[in-house]
Amino acid sequence: MRRHLAPLPRRPVEREGERLGAGSYSGLRRLLYEADTADCERALLALSKEFEARGASAIRHSVSIVTRTRTGTARTVGASRRRFIWDSGLDLGPLDAVDEVALKITRLLGLELHPQLAALARRMGVRGYRVDIGAPEITVTADGGTPRAVRITCEVRPTDEDRDWFWTHWGDPIAEATDITGAEVVLVGLLTARP
């Protein structure tokens, strides 16, 4: 014998005294999706204004922003589930951190030099190395018998909880960005190594 269970009563979903839906799961899911979409659109608008304030061009395209790197390559920033997402899938941060996300993106686009990279450039200059600065990287050159040069960038390292690290142009990590002395020692070793 099959028992029929009485359906659960539907209760209206309310937000600040306003009735929003019939109280079904799909109705609630739709409302949450609409709220997330609205939050994402507001955050993307704020982010595009922040880009313009920093001198970067930003074009709103549907539910994302298209911007260009220093070399002209188009890159896309989207927003979903209360997070900004880079086109490579990299999580850039929460929607309420527009300033920090804009700064991170301008560094990734090569429009601004990372402050830790600027500090490393100063330290290598004090040591007597020639340092050429061109956002988003520096080139450190050792003059002498055979001139040697290493290009250094400062980018996140996914295997280290997305902390910023110094990287060579070969794609090798040197040191965490907070360890300027460690990066300096590694660079001196690279620049004075025998062939």
Side-chain angles (χ1 to χ4, degrees):
M1 177 183 276
R2 181 183 273 181
R3 284 185 166 186
H4 292 282
L5 297 175
L8 293 173
R10 293 181 183 244
R11 294 187 193 124
V13 177
E14 293 187 20
R15 178 175 61 191
E16 298 174 19
E18 169 188 4
R19 268 193 185 187
L20 300 174
S24 66
Y25 172 75
S26 61
L28 180 59
R29 185 173 175 196
R30 181 183 52 79
L31 290 173
L32 291 173
Y33 173 78
E34 289 172 2
D36 183 55
T37 301
D39 289 343
C40 290
E41 286 176 4
R42 279 192 295 274
L44 285 170
L45 179 62
L47 186 62
S48 65
K49 287 179 181 178
E50 192 65 34
F51 280 158
E52 290 168 7
R54 294 173 184 272
S57 64
I59 301 167
R60 288 287 313 269
H61 178 69
S62 186
V63 291
S64 61
I65 297 173
V66 179
T67 187
R68 298 204 177 274
T69 64
R70 184 173 50 100
T71 59
T73 306
R75 298 297 302 266
T76 306
V77 179
S80 177
R81 295 190 175 126
R82 310 219 29 88
R83 309 290 294 177
F84 286 111
I85 308 294
W86 196 241
D87 56 7
S88 63
L90 176 67
D91 183 347
L92 295 168
L95 294 182
D96 58 352
V98 173
D99 292 340
E100 294 151 20
V101 170
L103 180 61
K104 187 183 287 188
I105 291 171
T106 54
R107 289 180 185 152
L108 289 170
L109 293 174
L111 302 173
E112 186 174 301
L113 190 63
H114 194 286
Q116 296 298 94
L117 199 54
L120 179 61
R122 283 191 300 276
R123 296 274 287 269
M124 295 305 291
V126 168
R127 283 184 168 268
Y129 292 95
R130 190 177 81 227
V131 180
D132 297 311
I133 299 174
E137 63 187 22
I138 62 172
T139 303
V140 182
T141 307
D143 296 324
T146 305
R148 296 177 184 269
V150 179
R151 283 192 327 266
I152 306 296
T153 59
C154 189
E155 300 172 17
V156 297
R157 186 175 188 186
T159 59
D160 191 22
E161 298 177 359
D162 288 337
R163 290 188 186 106
D164 289 336
W165 274 64
F166 295 116
W167 297 81
T168 67
H169 62 275
W170 303 294
D172 298 326
I174 294 178
E176 192 172 340
T178 56
D179 185 11
I180 294 174
T181 303
E184 189 179 357
V185 169
V186 172
L187 270 174
V188 169
L190 289 172
L191 294 167
T192 59
R194 303 242 181 237

